[in-house]
Amino acid sequence: MTENVDVVVIGAGAAGLMCAAEAGKRGRSVRLLDHGKKAGRKIIISGGGRCNFTNMYAEPANYLSQNPHFCKSALAQYTQWDFIAMVDKHGIAYHEKTLGQLFCDDSAHQIVDMLLKECDDAGVKVQLRTEILGVEKLENGFLVKTSQGELACTSLVVACGGLSMPKLGATPLGYQIAEQFGLNVLPTRAGLVPFTLQPEQKEVLAELSGVSVDSYATAKDGTGFKEALLFTHRGLSGPAVLQVSSYWQPGEAVTFDLSPQESLIDWLLEQAKTQPQLTLKNALARKFPKSMVEAWIKLHQLPNPAIGQLSTKLREQLNTVLHQWQVIPSGTEGYRTAEVTLGGVDTNGLSSKTMAAKNVDGLYFIGEVVDVTGWLGGFNFQWAWSSGWLAGQYA
Ligand code: FAD
């Protein structure tokens, strides 16, 4: 038997929960489907279990997309302040960690509970552990075939996310539905993801696993981020690396300034005035962890003279390896650990005013499945909330 509802939302993640609640508030009968056991699984593990749910400074410039203008309408219609107002309404305590990033004081579960409460209050039926077997176009809507039966609806919202973290339920279903209905899907790749290193660098730098330093990381296109760089046993991570990874293409170099605040050459020359006998190694150990200085000397085959004897050539070499350290990653850790998926449903086929497909009545795409990807720092959830809210006004 086929059940009839107004709206089916596929994917009970961040965008789907928001959209379902909003459509429900308009009096639409809404069924929210997910193949997982729980709703909002990525929300629950996000931000180290505290969910970096938005960013106070979110604006279109914080997003990557083939059409950088596409996200503007959704972000303007449902802003970070609107989401913060919802969080306040539910009495959830939060704090700014850094750079406008807002986290729950207590637990990310509070955000999922809040969205489920909004859905419940709006009469949304959340149906988990439901496999989607196929979607068909009807004359006046869609037929969604599931492992729990068939649903006919007038609006179908695709909110099943990207490919990152398959163990949390990520599948390519959203892209497949887009292609089925003739929408273009742009090539996808892992974003906000650690880099792996070439064997010779990996061998030396693996000793630094766990060491974190300030840095300014710059991609080939000039986009740069001043945040921490973390050495891992497999390569490079930390916020600076995750951010710049979204702008990286295989084979390209990434440049790190390991002392973005101050010229180390000027500092060494200043130190040499009072302690000319101090060795380069001991001097640098005042600025960097000792293990890093050792690794740097080994990696770049630097001599270890007294700082009063630094030749012009060595100063130039130091400037290069400390302020313009170039790394060509061997790759990334891939979708297994990536926080997001770049690319996806081409925004050319969607209306930025409603998130609806331009050529298919009643079909909507929201959240990460769309070719809009945010920086690290709460921007991806804000896109999910904004695009989900917007589709919820029309679906
Ligand atoms: P998702 O939240 O991924 O939801 C998609 C839903 O669709 C899932 O519930 C999935 O089970 C379901 N689904 C998929 N395929 C199918 C199918 N075939 N059938 C049925 N259901 C299906 N962003 C931030 O802004 N702040 C953070 O702190 C943050 N931390 C993160 C930490 C980690 C480890 C990861 C992986 C991501 C993090 N992100 C963060 C990114 C953020 O989680 C995503 O951008 C956001 O969840 C995207 O929302 P969405 O609703 O589009 O997709």
Side-chain angles (χ1 to χ4, degrees):
M1 201 189 74
T2 303
E3 266 185 274
N4 285 289
V5 292
D6 294 326
V7 185
V8 168
V9 181
I10 302 178
L17 284 160
M18 174 60 91
C19 177
E22 285 302 313
K25 284 177 200 169
R26 289 172 37 239
R28 303 281 276 164
S29 61
V30 183
R31 188 69 55 89
L32 177 56
L33 305 177
D34 202 292
H35 63 165
K37 282 188 286 195
K38 282 184 188 159
R41 280 180 290 176
K42 277 194 191 161
I43 301 175
I44 291 169
I45 60 145
S46 68
R50 292 218 159 84
C51 185
N52 176 194
F53 57 80
T54 193
N55 192 296
M56 293 198 292
Y57 309 120
E59 57 172 18
N62 306 119
Y63 294 85
L64 292 90
S65 171
Q66 201 168 79
N67 175 1
H69 304 292
F70 182 83
C71 63
K72 287 181 178 170
S73 178
L75 292 172
Q77 292 188 66
Y78 189 82
T79 69
Q80 57 270 46
W81 307 111
D82 294 316
F83 192 76
I84 293 166
M86 184 188 278
V87 170
D88 284 335
K89 186 180 96 182
H90 286 259
I92 300 172
Y94 58 88
H95 60 279
E96 179 188 358
K97 199 165 170 192
T98 174
L99 303 169
Q101 302 169 7
L102 299 186
F103 286 73
C104 297
D105 286 356
D106 188 8
S107 161
H109 281 280
Q110 292 173 294
I111 299 293
V112 178
D113 292 345
M114 170 186 88
L115 293 164
L116 285 172
K117 171 97 175 48
E118 291 277 324
C119 281
D120 197 42
D121 290 350
V124 173
K125 190 166 169 203
V126 182
Q127 190 177 313
L128 302 172
R129 299 173 196 259
T130 302
E131 299 297 330
I132 311 301
L133 306 177
V135 174
E136 282 171 23
K137 184 83 184 83
L138 301 174
E139 202 186 332
N140 223 343
F142 303 86
L143 182 69
V144 183
K145 294 180 175 171
T146 82
S147 54
Q148 314 295 325
E150 294 186 350
L151 287 159
C153 57
T154 50
S155 295
L156 176 63
V157 183
V158 180
C160 37
L163 299 173
S164 28
M165 296 236 168
K167 70 172 186 219
L168 287 178
T171 73
L173 179 67
Y175 308 132
Q176 289 160 357
I177 297 176
E179 280 170 347
Q180 180 189 340
F181 287 97
L183 280 91
N184 186 35
V185 177
L186 296 168
T188 56
R189 65 192 164 90
L192 300 180
V193 64
F195 285 137
T196 51
L197 292 174
Q198 314 282 352
E200 51 299 356
Q201 285 188 323
K202 187 179 158 192
E203 200 180 307
V204 180
L205 298 179
E207 289 167 27
L208 298 184
S209 182
V211 170
S212 172
V213 290
D214 281 347
S215 77
Y216 191 95
T218 312
K220 190 177 168 228
D221 75 350
T223 310
F225 296 91
K226 189 176 161 300
E227 292 205 55
L229 159 68
L230 172 71
F231 295 92
T232 70
H233 65 288
R234 288 168 57 88
L236 303 176
S237 188
V241 167
L242 299 183
Q243 297 281 34
V244 88
S245 73
S246 295
Y247 291 84
W248 179 78
Q249 297 288 347
E252 288 179 1
V254 175
T255 307
F256 293 94
D257 183 345
L258 300 169
S259 177
Q261 315 277 30
E262 165 185 44
S263 158
L264 285 170
I265 310 306
D266 290 351
W267 179 79
L268 283 168
L269 293 175
E270 200 53 42
Q271 298 299 300
K273 284 185 191 159
T274 50
Q275 293 172 286
Q277 299 309 326
L278 190 66
T279 63
L280 177 62
K281 225 190 231 188
N282 287 342
L284 288 178
R286 293 180 180 180
K287 287 286 179 188
F288 298 103
K290 211 166 160 219
S291 56
M292 181 171 158
V293 177
E294 297 281 354
W296 236 245
I297 298 242
K298 194 163 151 193
L299 185 68
H300 303 289
Q301 297 168 354
L302 299 170
N304 186 25
I307 56 172
Q309 319 268 305
L310 291 181
S311 64
T312 313
K313 188 171 163 235
L314 182 55
R315 272 189 245 160
E316 279 168 8
Q317 195 185 356
L318 284 170
N319 191 50
T320 305
V321 302
L322 293 169
H323 287 295
Q324 297 156 35
W325 179 45
Q326 285 215 343
V327 183
I328 301 181
S330 63
T332 73
E333 295 276 1
Y335 292 120
R336 189 178 58 85
T337 57
E339 284 201 13
V340 286
T341 304
L342 291 144
V345 178
D346 189 342
T347 58
N348 273 333
L350 303 176
S351 156
S352 63
K353 304 278 180 288
T354 63
M355 303 304 296
K358 285 177 185 165
N359 296 331
V360 188
D361 267 357
L363 181 63
Y364 297 77
F365 290 86
I366 55 173
E368 197 177 318
V369 73
V370 177
D371 170 38
V372 173
T373 307
W375 289 1
L376 185 79
F379 301 102
N380 284 296
F381 279 137
Q382 187 56 46
W383 170 246
W385 315 137
S386 296
S387 59
W389 181 91
L390 188 53
Q393 310 310 307
Y394 296 94

